[in-house]
Amino acid sequence: MIEIRNVVKQYGDKRVLNDVSTIIDKGKITSFIGPNGAGKSTLLSIVSRLIPKNSGEVIIDGKTLENWPNNQLAKKLSILKQSNHLSIKLKIRELVSFGRFPYSNGYLTKEDEIYIDQALDYMQLKDIQDMYLDQLSGGQRQRAFIAMVLAQNTDYILLDEPLNNLDIKHSVEIMKMLRNLVDDLGKTIAIVIHDINFASCYSDHIVALKDGKIVDEGDIDRIIRKDLLGEIYDMEFSIADVNNMKLCVYY
Amino acid sequence: MKKRYLILLLILLSIVSVFIGVKDVSLRDILSFKDEGLQVMLLSRIPRLISIIVAGMGMSISGLIMQSISRNKFVSPSTAATMDSAKLGVLISLLLFASSKPLHKMLVSFIFAIAGTLLFMQILKRIKFQNAIFIPLVGIMLGNIIDSVTTFFAYKLNMIQSISSWLQGDFSMIIKGRYELLYISIPLLVVAFLYANKFTIAGMGQDFAANLGLNYNRVVNVGVSIVALISSLVIITVGRIPFLGLIVPNIVTIFQGDNMRKNIFHTALFGAIFLLFCDILGRIIIYPYEIPISLTVGVIGSVIFLVLLVRGNR
């Protein structure tokens, strides 16, 4: 369980996060939604110690973030930011191997190789494992990065806009894989996501942010509501029930 | 590019290099311990060969490290103000210590090289416009500013002559007793090998490194220190060798990819081969005279550099 308590982040005079408290529950997909500048990505970066906070606490499995040694935390929690701009010439398998760095410091053991193979299998990258990242499509590349995080074998996986630049087919594919990770392997996943319908269809818990504050949080029925979403995004929404899923229409 | 062939080529060129020169030395002379031939070998030819190999490996790996941690293919010690700062350091040490032992020179120029490189890295962080060509241009500009400071003081103090002797890389002055400082770079190369993985991870960005529990700043500092130290060692013993740190890593990564664990060995070998080849060329073209190595490397290097630029823009 990750507890976020009264977190404040300030850039100059601007408060990007204002006294945010919430909980990321184990074994669930928690989605963070909200308009641009709501502070979703900032929150995720703070939880994963990529950027420092001004005040407040982040407690991961009972220990505050500051008390986690860097390389121990790397075995507990992983974060993937949007990284499609990477121009580095690396093979998929090499990238995935880096996921084992916290365990083996770059000197791969047999056990590491097993994890790497499993991750490649799981993300269906086995056949193309020797291709370079710059030869891949956006969806394949995203899968490669997720495979790396899988090889890292952490309980918590944080993803910042994993669907960015992906077409519908690949987006669905990634979300289904994330769902499986939670249902089959018992991972805990937190994602920042822009497409509310993906959040609605695939998450267990949604946290809605606006202007650095949590407006509301809860399960799908509680968050995917006409008035609440309208308030968050400042626009008209209508919600449709299709195949037991709640879909937002906002065009 | 197989490692085996590279090693074979290096050995072959080494043999050629040792037997080229004004004084004819044959294998029979050495085997029969003929005094003169043996002396030429031990005092001049072999020191020269060793310094070429060490400098070639050192400069190429420096370039590789720089390119990885700055995430830019066109950054190298000569396009990131490292070399120019090291040169300024040598001038300052000549002013500070009248004796100016090589070790003094090295230490002062090392401090300057580190400061100059870190300054460049700081500028790099602040540039919003991260264009592949723009960044090395900034580095070259910064280097030129530092260089003009050096030239200014050198003029004032009537030291232009000694300054220009470091400007041009030249192996013809290498004899026993004048190159041993270069050996310090061998342990540095070993450290670079051990850090290869970490440099690659750091090259994927600060967030990426932090996620894997890697201390990004420490790795970058280790990298910059290695580069600065090797650069100042080379500039003091051999002089400035342009392009080497730029083109060698670029050529190798085309074939081997950017995983440093996999390309660092090739880079070291290819760097030594390239420099040795240029040196041999410089010694044969106007035999029995010599063309300084900075010229042969400069000419061949700039042609390859242009080809890389054109390729990169496609």
Side-chain angles (χ1 to χ4, degrees):
Chain A
M1 187 169 75
I2 300 178
E3 291 175 71
I4 299 164
R5 283 190 198 157
N6 311 104
V7 165
V8 173
K9 178 71 189 177
Q10 215 162 334
Y11 289 112
D13 285 339
K14 194 175 165 9
R15 284 211 159 180
V16 192
L17 288 175
N18 197 352
D19 200 20
V20 171
S21 303
T22 183
I23 280 173
I24 298 173
D25 247 339
K26 269 215 151 155
K28 284 185 178 171
I29 293 185
T30 304
S31 297
F32 291 85
I33 62 164
N36 287 331
K40 311 172 299 276
S41 296
T42 311
L43 186 61
L44 221 57
S45 292
I46 286 175
V47 170
S48 53
R49 50 98 167 80
L50 295 188
I51 56 174
K53 55 192 178 304
N54 292 84
S55 66
E57 272 187 329
V58 175
I59 300 162
I60 298 168
D61 285 355
K63 224 187 321 180
T64 58
L65 197 58
E66 290 73 21
N67 286 329
W68 276 99
N70 215 355
N71 67 322
Q72 289 303 316
L73 191 59
K75 299 178 193 171
K76 192 82 196 164
L77 173 149
S78 51
I79 167 103
L80 196 60
K81 306 249 302 178
Q82 311 153 29
S83 38
N84 281 341
H85 61 277
L86 265 174
S87 59
I88 192 162
K89 204 175 169 202
L90 218 54
K91 286 178 182 168
I92 293 182
R93 196 184 172 87
E94 292 170 351
L95 176 76
V96 176
S97 310
F98 283 142
R100 300 304 296 171
F101 185 81
Y103 300 87
S104 55
N105 250 310
Y107 300 94
L108 297 178
T109 62
K110 276 220 175 85
E111 196 194 340
D112 291 327
E113 302 283 356
I114 294 171
Y115 276 105
I116 294 164
D117 281 327
Q118 277 173 358
L120 287 168
D121 273 335
Y122 201 88
M123 296 312 281
Q124 294 155 25
L125 294 164
K126 237 346 181 345
D127 299 336
I128 52 170
Q129 59 172 328
D130 284 326
M131 271 172 78
Y132 283 108
L133 290 179
D134 56 0
Q135 302 170 316
L136 304 179
S137 70
Q140 289 171 325
R141 200 173 312 159
Q142 191 65 293
R143 259 158 51 203
F145 276 96
I146 294 177
M148 186 201 84
V149 168
L150 272 188
Q152 205 175 333
N153 193 29
T154 55
D155 295 343
Y156 300 100
I157 300 174
L158 276 48
L159 303 163
D160 192 354
E161 296 185 33
L163 307 184
N164 214 13
N165 291 325
L166 296 188
D167 61 25
I168 320 169
K169 178 170 176 274
H170 287 112
S171 298
V172 171
E173 202 176 281
I174 297 281
M175 288 310 285
K176 279 192 171 147
M177 280 174 173
L178 294 183
R179 193 67 251 178
N180 290 341
L181 285 178
V182 171
D183 296 341
D184 302 345
L185 305 180
K187 303 279 182 194
T188 304
I189 292 181
I191 49 177
V192 166
I193 195 163
H194 269 297
D195 190 321
I196 332 172
N197 286 330
F198 273 117
S200 163
C201 295
Y202 288 96
S203 33
D204 301 301
H205 188 86
I206 300 180
V207 181
L209 286 115
K210 187 181 184 181
D211 296 333
K213 283 188 187 143
I214 293 181
V215 181
D216 202 356
E217 61 175 305
D219 58 13
I220 312 296
D221 290 334
R222 176 163 175 161
I223 301 298
I224 307 299
R225 279 183 334 211
K226 193 175 152 65
D227 49 331
L228 182 71
L229 291 175
E231 183 198 328
I232 296 168
Y233 289 99
D234 285 326
M235 56 189 281
E236 284 286 316
F237 273 85
S238 42
I239 312 268
D241 270 302
V242 182
N243 301 336
N244 284 332
M245 287 186 279
K246 291 199 160 202
L247 294 181
C248 308
V249 184
Y250 44 80
Y251 299 103
Chain B
M1 262 200 309
K2 285 249 172 65
K3 225 182 288 180
R4 248 180 312 172
Y5 297 134
L6 287 177
I7 294 174
L8 212 68
L9 190 61
L10 182 60
I11 294 172
L12 209 74
L13 284 173
S14 302
I15 296 169
V16 172
S17 161
V18 169
F19 288 103
I20 288 180
V22 179
K23 176 91 185 86
D24 248 326
V25 181
S26 68
L27 198 57
R28 205 182 311 144
D29 291 346
I30 295 167
L31 289 179
S32 59
F33 291 100
K34 261 207 187 149
D35 210 27
E36 208 180 353
L38 200 65
Q39 291 289 336
V40 169
M41 273 291 163
L42 291 181
L43 292 180
S44 162
R45 301 273 169 86
I46 287 176
R48 181 176 189 146
L49 175 66
I50 291 174
S51 58
I52 289 171
I53 292 176
V54 174
M57 289 182 170
M59 289 313 292
S60 328
I61 286 180
S62 295
L64 187 67
I65 294 173
M66 287 295 283
Q67 282 157 30
S68 181
I69 57 183
S70 67
R71 310 171 77 176
N72 187 302
K73 284 276 165 206
F74 295 113
V75 170
S76 76
S78 44
T79 56
T82 314
M83 283 296 207
D84 300 290
S85 314
K87 212 173 98 186
L88 179 60
V90 181
L91 177 78
I92 301 287
S93 81
L94 282 178
L95 295 179
L96 288 180
F97 311 101
S99 64
S100 72
K101 287 193 186 115
L103 200 65
H104 283 159
K105 272 200 260 181
M106 191 213 84
L107 284 176
V108 180
S109 88
F110 166 56
I111 292 165
F112 273 79
I114 268 201
T117 316
L118 286 178
L119 178 66
F120 172 73
M121 298 294 285
Q122 283 302 319
I123 294 174
L124 201 67
K125 259 191 198 167
R126 287 188 170 85
I127 296 176
K128 291 275 177 287
F129 178 57
Q130 294 273 4
N131 178 290
I133 310 293
F134 183 67
I135 286 164
L137 279 182
V138 170
I140 292 171
M141 280 190 270
L142 179 66
N144 279 338
I145 293 171
I146 295 170
D147 193 45
S148 62
V149 174
T150 313
T151 315
F152 174 77
F153 282 110
Y155 259 116
K156 280 263 178 196
L157 303 161
N158 227 343
M159 290 172 85
I160 272 293
Q161 283 260 288
S162 34
I163 286 284
S164 54
S165 69
W166 321 310
L167 232 164
Q168 282 216 327
D170 190 356
F171 284 98
S172 62
M173 304 296 283
I174 298 275
I175 48 167
K176 191 167 181 288
R178 292 189 62 168
Y179 77 105
E180 282 79 357
L181 215 53
L182 262 184
Y183 283 130
I184 299 177
S185 45
I186 293 174
L188 295 174
L189 293 180
V190 174
V191 176
F193 275 88
L194 295 177
Y195 263 72
N197 243 312
K198 293 179 182 166
F199 289 138
T200 313
I201 292 174
M204 306 201 46
Q206 194 157 4
D207 290 345
F208 190 91
N211 169 48
L212 295 174
L214 184 79
N215 188 334
Y216 176 82
N217 286 326
R218 199 178 65 203
V219 173
V220 169
N221 287 339
V222 168
V224 169
S225 307
I226 293 177
V227 170
L229 204 47
I230 291 181
S231 300
S232 46
L233 286 166
V234 169
I235 211 162
I236 289 165
T237 44
V238 182
R240 196 183 164 128
I241 311 170
F243 288 113
L244 194 63
L246 189 66
I247 52 163
V248 171
N250 267 298
I251 293 173
V252 173
T253 49
I254 288 172
F255 297 101
Q256 294 294 120
D258 284 322
N259 189 357
M260 225 158 135
R261 172 67 68 72
K262 277 173 75 188
N263 66 23
I264 191 166
F265 221 60
H266 289 81
T267 306
L269 286 174
F270 189 65
I273 289 171
F274 182 75
L275 196 59
L276 197 51
F277 173 77
C278 289
D279 182 65
I280 293 172
L281 206 65
R283 285 150 80 181
I284 339 182
I285 291 179
I286 50 167
Y287 184 87
Y289 305 104
E290 259 189 49
I291 300 173
I293 187 117
S294 58
L295 198 68
T296 40
V297 175
V299 170
I300 300 176
S302 50
V303 171
I304 301 177
F305 185 48
L306 281 175
V307 174
L308 286 176
L309 275 183
V310 173
R311 258 183 63 106
N313 278 346
R314 254 203 311 236

